[in-house]
DNA sequence: ACTACATTGCGTCATAATAACACATTACTG
DNA sequence: CAGTAATGTGTTATTATGACGCAATGTAGT
């Protein structure tokens, strides 16, 4: 696949790529979707190149969709990375040899690549990690146990998480990581995990419901230890209304 | 100069540019530094290309510095723009003819360019708008009276202002737009102008001083109508301390 | 079946932050 | 030298937040 792109590199934006930080939530852990290709020993963020006839946002959707199978989810550009030597060690001659790419064509890949970072929030339960081919491993990994990543992907991941934390404070985007029906305690765990901070149960309930974007369902979570918590769903209409006024304005 | 770049295009990142939204504050107006080249009839944001041997942040500093003469100021990447047709109408054959560039070389410029947006906050009083050459007009323009801009520069400008508003709520960055010594009413006017909202004098004073990053000087503003307001200066050390804890956390 | 237990749901209170407003002070203006 | 238009300081009511208490609920163990 990479060989296809390089062989037809005139169809792709040169020196530009996209990397996606895909977040999911499971077992009270914030997970990140990572990829390992056979030839490399390190993990990396799912990424891709940008067809010359596609908006960069569209190309990002393609990357996300090809790995997770979902679309219509929360996807947001957060930063662009372009240090001079960011891909110096990686796109080297070994890969060209491995892929049997002639050196002339290979020059397209060898130059400095600037990468545009997107982060996505997806419903873990709906995702089936989808390897592009047999040589690829795709896996959800707890963000606290992310191993060494290629290039500057660690920096990209960290920046994505920083952005997520800030945006979670600005607007209630957390529901994107949960199924349609969820409980307040689940939502709280999510907040606590992302913000890496314990929150008071009672105060959390008050604050989150006061925003007015949650609908209390006439249904309780079943098959659960101890008292069954109530289920809630997210109200998109009210959410848009609230966003207009702006949450946590400050001034 | 553009011709030089195109003639030596192998020294520059292909299909990538930088555009800077440079904000200043003067006469109670939020100003934007805009450029008009002789051949075009529209204004544009100051921009530039990215040498292959420079970090993108460094290239942004170069753009800012070449237009304003200042450095060490607040400069922040805020978004990257890459719609397929964003520079379709602009980088067309007319320019190539005008610059006497052969069509083969011209192809470098004709493709879709993705541009990385940076915004800067500068002390208006220290800046002398600096045209790169005789054919160029560089001017401060009130953000409420920005004329039609080339390409998607209007969209870039709007996004920069949105980002500025949000970041002003998250951290007190406004002082970057004022001289070393300033008065609280001046700072308030700045906030009111950026946020496009009237604020209460008394409450503003209390809130801004409570942050603890302003030093009250033993000096009053002179040559001023009515009661002379006290001068303040910004305390960088305390600012860094405050930022560590995070302002306006939300949760 | 009954009790212990962990967890949820609702409420209270003290404190802090915010909004709205009154009044005295200052220095230029006519 | 009084009028005026600002600045500086304080007061109060309202709201938001943080730290708890306690009853209700459903499971698990005996």
């Amino acid at each position: 696949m990479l060989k296809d792109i390089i062989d037809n590199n005139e169809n792709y934006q040169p020196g530009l790529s996209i990397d996606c930080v895909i977040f999911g939530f499971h077992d009270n852990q914030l997970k990140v979707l990572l990829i390992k290709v056979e030839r490399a020993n390190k993990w990396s963020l799912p990424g891709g190149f940008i067809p010359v006839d596609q908006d960069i946002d569209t190309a990002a959707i393609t990357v996300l969709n090809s790995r997770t199978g979902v679309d219509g989810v929360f996807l947001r550009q957060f930063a662009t990375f372009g240090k001079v030597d960011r891909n110096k060690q990686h796109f080297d001659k070994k890969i060209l040899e491995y892929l049997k790419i002639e050196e002339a064509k290979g020059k397209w890949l060898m130059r400095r690549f600037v990468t545009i970072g997107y982060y996505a929030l997806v419903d873990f339960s709906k995702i089936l990690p989808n390897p592009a081919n047999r040589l690829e491993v795709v896996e959800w990994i707890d963000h606290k146990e992310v191993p060494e990543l290629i290039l500057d992907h660690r920096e990209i991941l960290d920046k994505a998480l920083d952005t997520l934390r800030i945006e979670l404070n600005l607007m209630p985007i957390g529901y994107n990581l949960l199924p349609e029906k969820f409980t307040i305690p689940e939502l709280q765990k999510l907040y606590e995990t992302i913000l890496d901070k314990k929150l008071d149960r009672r105060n959390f309930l008050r604050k989150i419901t006061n925003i007015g974007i949650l609908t209390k369902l006439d249904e309780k979570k079943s098959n659960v230890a101890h008292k069954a918590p109530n289920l809630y769903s997210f109200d998109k209409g009210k959410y848009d209304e609230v966003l207009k006024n702006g949450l946590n304005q400050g001034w």
Side-chain angles (χ1 to χ4, degrees), chain A:
Chain A
M1 178 166 181
L2 179 56
K3 180 165 168 45
D4 291 344
I5 289 173
I6 294 172
D7 284 342
N8 300 289
N9 68 54
E10 69 279 4
N11 295 331
Y12 292 87
Q13 202 76 11
L16 247 196
S17 60
I18 281 178
D19 284 304
C20 283
V21 182
I22 304 172
F23 290 111
F25 188 68
H26 189 63
D27 284 343
N28 289 342
Q29 292 178 335
L30 183 66
K31 308 268 193 178
V32 184
L33 197 73
L34 294 179
I35 286 177
K36 187 154 85 173
V37 286
E38 195 194 43
R39 66 175 181 281
N41 210 13
K42 291 188 201 167
W43 293 82
S44 66
L45 296 171
F49 298 94
I50 303 170
V52 291
D53 60 352
Q54 270 186 23
D55 291 353
I56 55 174
D57 287 353
T58 308
I61 291 171
T62 304
V63 170
L64 175 64
N65 188 263
S66 72
R67 304 302 185 168
T68 64
V70 294
D71 54 357
V73 304
F74 185 95
L75 179 66
R76 183 182 293 259
Q77 186 198 302
F78 66 93
T80 296
F81 302 82
K83 294 224 178 84
V84 168
D85 56 356
R86 64 172 293 275
N87 57 313
K88 206 161 57 183
Q89 346 89 293
H90 184 64
F91 292 161
D92 59 7
K93 290 186 179 170
K94 285 180 202 160
I95 294 183
L96 298 186
E97 286 168 20
Y98 179 91
L99 293 172
K100 299 186 178 61
I101 292 168
E102 43 190 305
E103 201 171 324
K105 287 252 179 190
K107 275 194 178 166
W108 186 82
L109 189 64
M110 303 272 288
R111 67 182 316 151
R112 178 254 304 260
F113 263 72
V114 172
T115 198
I116 307 171
Y118 283 78
Y119 82 95
L121 306 182
V122 304
D123 176 358
F124 184 92
S125 65
K126 280 198 184 159
I127 306 304
L128 197 69
N130 178 31
N133 57 60
R134 291 284 157 75
L135 302 175
E136 206 177 73
V137 183
V138 180
E139 224 169 83
W140 285 109
I141 296 182
D142 180 8
H143 85 284
K144 291 201 168 180
E145 289 170 9
V146 169
E148 197 181 351
L149 302 178
I150 62 164
L151 308 182
D152 55 355
H153 282 200
R154 180 79 220 186
E155 185 188 337
I156 297 174
L157 173 57
D158 288 343
K159 179 79 179 176
L161 190 51
D162 281 348
T163 308
L164 172 57
R165 285 191 176 124
I166 290 171
E167 304 213 331
L168 190 65
N169 279 331
L170 293 176
M171 52 192 98
I173 53 180
Y175 64 88
N176 287 291
L177 289 159
L178 294 175
E180 279 110 45
K181 297 176 181 182
F182 53 88
T183 69
I184 300 294
E186 280 168 358
L187 189 57
Q188 182 182 341
K189 292 272 162 45
L190 172 64
Y191 269 71
E192 290 183 338
T193 306
I194 294 178
L195 301 175
D196 198 26
K197 187 201 278 189
K198 277 251 166 279
L199 301 172
D200 183 273
R201 265 185 333 109
R202 284 86 35 117
N203 295 333
F204 181 82
L205 172 68
R206 187 182 37 188
K207 201 167 167 182
I208 205 81
T209 51
N210 274 348
I211 296 175
I213 56 166
L214 297 183
T215 309
K216 189 171 183 173
L217 302 175
D218 195 16
E219 196 177 347
K220 286 175 190 302
K221 182 133 183 158
S222 55
N223 263 341
V224 67
H226 311 296
K227 179 173 179 177
N230 213 307
L231 285 168
Y232 285 77
S233 72
F234 165 72
D235 187 330
K236 173 75 173 156
K238 287 183 183 168
Y239 175 76
D240 291 334
E241 239 177 78
V242 168
L243 266 204
K244 260 183 232 158
N245 306 332
L247 204 65
N248 281 14
Q249 308 208 47
W251 287 97

